[in-house]
Amino acid sequence: MIELIEVSKRFTLHNKGGAVIPVMEGASLKVVPGECVALTGASGAGKSTMMRVIYGNFLAASGQVLVDGLDVAKAEPQEILALRRETLGYVSQFLRVVPRVPTLEVVAEPLLALGCDRQEALGKAAGLLSRLNIPERLWLLSPTTFSGGEQQRVNIARGFAHDYPVMLLDEPTAALDTQNRETVLTLIEEAKARGAAIVGIFHDIEARERVCDREINVSDFNQEVAE
Amino acid sequence: MTPLLQVKGIGKRYGAQIGCADVSFDLYPGEVMGIVGESGSGKSTLLNCLAGHLAPDAGQVIFDTRADGPEDTVNMSEPERRMLRRTDWAFVHQNARDGLRMSVSAGGNIGERLMAVGDRHYGAIRDRAIDWLGRVEISETRVDDRPTTFSGGMQQRLQIARNLVTSPRLVFMDEPTGGLDVSVQARLLDLLRGLVRELGLSAIIVTHDLAVARLLAHRLMVMKEGHMIEAGLTDQVLDDPQHAYTQLLVSSVLQV
């Protein structure tokens, strides 16, 4: 479902005299349906960069980034938007929403964008929010006023609202208490069971060992960079 | 899928000055395109050329009309273009006063557009006006009040209702949230997003606010000195800008 072939990524900082910062060189990766692969490496090694290259908000300098057959590195914006709507989900570390929109709607939005029936979408959103222990009295409030942990759980609920065949998870269990962490790990296991291909960053080693089938150390893709 | 709008090599000069030059892009149904850049970069000139308010010196603006399919609106007769502006197109001005008739009631402002396309039944027009006031969160009790008695945010919402009542397929917006305080801005953003999704609208939004662009636009185009210097997926342009000017623009904002 995900295949990276000889992907490189560098940043050119035009306002710093055109300094070029190479981050990734010759990165290759393959993830099949039902598999969860963990990206590891020290902070700054390029884990999040690799996730963003797959999601398409970072442009790869060279190579192919195939997600469900579409080369994200070269696809038209319309194709990437359709891919993100239907196939490719991303749970980032930060919740970014239009202020004033109720939490329930924020979570249901990916389903509404797919043209799902409104009641059905809100029902599924409510189910996820309950599982993640967001009290019902908060559902009609905007998550912008929530605590960090609550926002993160809303973000996870939103990311799991639609059954994406491909998922990117950026530290989904960080800052969660034991019970919520357990719920998130169960959600990931359920996604794998239905055949989702997952790439994730987990600093939580136990969580990583439980849900991930293998690890890729992204430092391997920036050896030249370090020297 | 046929693009709703195909812009090909649009250019406009003001004497020796370049307004905008050689701008091309396609817009598909349901898509929101943001145009960003500093003031004087040619954003509004471009928008006005696309919407038929200004005659471009070069290029084509091909719109997929309901009746006859794709047609170049630059070479259309003025009556044809006027009809488009009343039906399939809508234009939301930065200053609501430019888009409203200040001496006519709120209901009249909305009803006027319906009458312009041939609606004659007073009761039906009034009902639709009230329905639209509700959608933009203006109380029904204000239907007979003039917009001069409305706050800035309400005027802007009324302008949006007036524009959308005829179910246009393409909406041009020039800084729709400019000059409004943040809470009103948030409310308007929420409203616009909902309308785009529910009505399947396409929109071209000129803004200098990158946070607004991120929340509303699927795609982004960056302009500088009349030229399109970068274009792409909104989060790609904002998270990984390629052009020197876009990098400067993005790094100059407080957290988007």
Side-chain angles (χ1 to χ4, degrees):
Chain A
M1 284 305 276
I2 307 177
E3 189 170 10
L4 270 64
I5 305 168
E6 291 293 317
V7 175
S8 68
K9 171 70 199 158
R10 44 187 166 265
F11 293 101
T12 309
L13 307 178
H14 294 288
N15 300 303
K16 297 273 182 272
V20 176
I21 303 178
V23 204
M24 228 161 74
E25 208 55 65
S28 295
L29 168 75
K30 193 170 180 177
V31 186
V32 299
E35 189 182 29
C36 178
V37 173
L39 302 182
T40 61
S43 180
K47 302 185 290 294
S48 294
T49 297
M50 188 181 241
M51 301 264 268
R52 289 178 188 152
V53 165
I54 299 172
Y55 195 61
N57 54 336
F58 277 9
L59 271 183
S62 64
Q64 282 181 286
V65 181
L66 299 167
V67 179
D68 195 20
L70 180 73
D71 186 354
V72 174
K74 291 176 190 68
E76 290 296 318
Q78 289 85 2
E79 296 175 302
I80 298 182
L81 289 169
L83 184 79
R84 289 180 183 178
R85 229 177 0 251
E86 288 149 26
T87 311
L88 177 61
Y90 179 28
V91 177
S92 68
Q93 284 179 273
F94 305 99
L95 182 67
R96 198 174 249 140
V97 295
V98 178
R100 240 181 57 107
V101 178
T103 298
L104 196 60
E105 298 254 343
V106 166
V107 175
E109 204 193 348
L111 293 169
L112 296 173
L114 277 168
C116 192
D117 173 73
R118 196 174 159 77
Q119 286 316 314
E120 206 177 299
L122 292 177
K124 189 154 186 208
L128 279 160
L129 287 169
S130 308
R131 279 185 76 181
L132 287 157
N133 297 309
I134 302 288
E136 197 169 340
R137 63 190 155 82
L138 298 181
W139 293 0
L140 295 179
L141 304 179
S142 162
T144 44
T145 56
F146 290 7
S147 74
E150 284 167 343
Q151 289 198 5
Q152 197 196 348
R153 279 178 278 145
V154 171
N155 209 13
I156 289 167
R158 179 186 162 90
F160 281 88
H162 170 53
D163 291 338
Y164 295 103
V166 179
M167 297 189 83
L168 306 173
L169 308 174
D170 196 345
E171 293 212 50
T173 57
L176 293 184
D177 58 47
T178 329
Q179 197 194 349
N180 286 313
R181 176 175 169 276
E182 183 57 37
T183 308
V184 173
L185 293 177
T186 311
L187 282 171
I188 297 172
E189 285 166 345
E190 287 170 6
K192 284 176 68 181
R194 66 169 165 78
I198 302 175
V199 172
I201 300 172
F202 297 87
H203 282 304
D204 173 351
I205 296 171
E206 263 177 62
R208 191 198 300 162
E209 282 170 354
R210 174 161 149 198
V211 296
C212 296
D213 303 290
R214 64 202 162 84
E215 293 180 9
I216 301 261
N217 190 334
V218 296
S219 309
D220 296 344
F221 304 132
N222 56 18
Q223 267 165 356
E224 294 107 294
V225 179
E227 280 158 19
Chain B
M1 192 165 35
T2 323
L4 185 65
L5 191 76
Q6 299 171 60
V7 178
K8 295 183 175 172
I10 282 294
K12 172 78 186 168
R13 299 183 79 94
Y14 300 107
Q17 282 289 323
I18 293 177
C20 62
D22 199 26
V23 176
S24 303
F25 66 90
D26 289 344
L27 184 77
Y28 287 86
E31 216 174 27
V32 178
M33 168 95 151
I35 304 178
V36 297
E38 61 199 1
S39 43
S41 59
K43 309 186 295 282
S44 295
T45 296
L46 175 63
L47 193 72
N48 283 312
C49 285
L50 300 181
H53 295 168
L54 273 178
D57 304 326
Q60 293 177 300
V61 179
I62 299 164
F63 180 74
D64 187 15
T65 60
R66 278 187 236 223
D68 307 306
E71 276 196 66
D72 184 6
T73 63
V74 174
N75 296 320
M76 244 178 207
S77 70
E78 187 53 33
E80 278 180 294
R81 205 159 38 225
R82 196 180 309 133
M83 200 57 202
L84 259 189
R85 285 207 292 263
R86 283 178 184 164
T87 54
D88 272 350
W89 289 5
F91 196 101
V92 176
H93 294 265
Q94 172 172 13
N95 187 342
R97 288 167 174 266
D98 296 337
L100 291 172
R101 293 227 298 168
M102 301 306 282
S103 57
V104 173
S105 71
N109 262 289
I110 300 176
E112 194 179 41
R113 249 187 86 111
L114 289 169
M115 276 156 46
V117 292
D119 255 315
R120 286 296 173 263
H121 187 280
Y122 177 78
I125 292 174
R126 191 176 166 86
D127 287 347
R128 282 186 69 188
I130 289 172
D131 171 48
W132 267 94
L133 283 179
R135 290 209 221 181
V136 297
E137 305 176 18
I138 295 175
S139 157
E140 185 184 334
T141 58
R142 303 298 301 269
V143 64
D144 295 317
D145 294 345
R146 289 182 185 177
T148 41
T149 65
F150 287 7
S151 70
M154 282 169 78
Q155 287 180 358
Q156 193 57 292
R157 280 179 275 137
L158 178 62
Q159 191 195 183
I160 288 170
R162 172 184 162 95
N163 269 288
L164 296 186
V165 67
T166 50
S167 313
R169 290 188 295 150
L170 175 59
V171 185
F172 300 97
M173 299 192 201
D174 193 358
E175 304 273 8
T177 61
L180 300 176
D181 69 55
V182 255
S183 63
V184 180
Q185 229 188 56
R187 197 162 172 183
L188 204 63
L189 284 177
D190 174 21
L191 177 74
L192 288 175
R193 273 239 308 205
L195 290 172
V196 165
R197 192 179 59 213
E198 283 154 31
L199 307 176
L201 294 176
S202 300
I204 300 178
I205 299 183
V206 162
T207 179
H208 64 260
D209 187 333
L210 298 183
V212 168
R214 188 191 281 275
L215 290 174
L216 283 181
H218 300 116
R219 283 157 63 207
L220 214 55
M221 178 165 120
V222 184
M223 289 193 70
K224 184 178 195 283
E225 289 158 11
H227 294 270
M228 176 172 98
I229 54 164
E230 186 162 352
L233 214 55
T234 300
D235 58 3
Q236 185 261 300
V237 172
L238 294 178
D239 295 341
D240 189 14
Q242 306 293 307
H243 191 279
Y245 175 70
T246 317
Q247 292 184 353
L248 185 69
L249 198 69
V250 170
S251 64
S252 307
V253 220
L254 305 164
Q255 263 258 304
V256 277

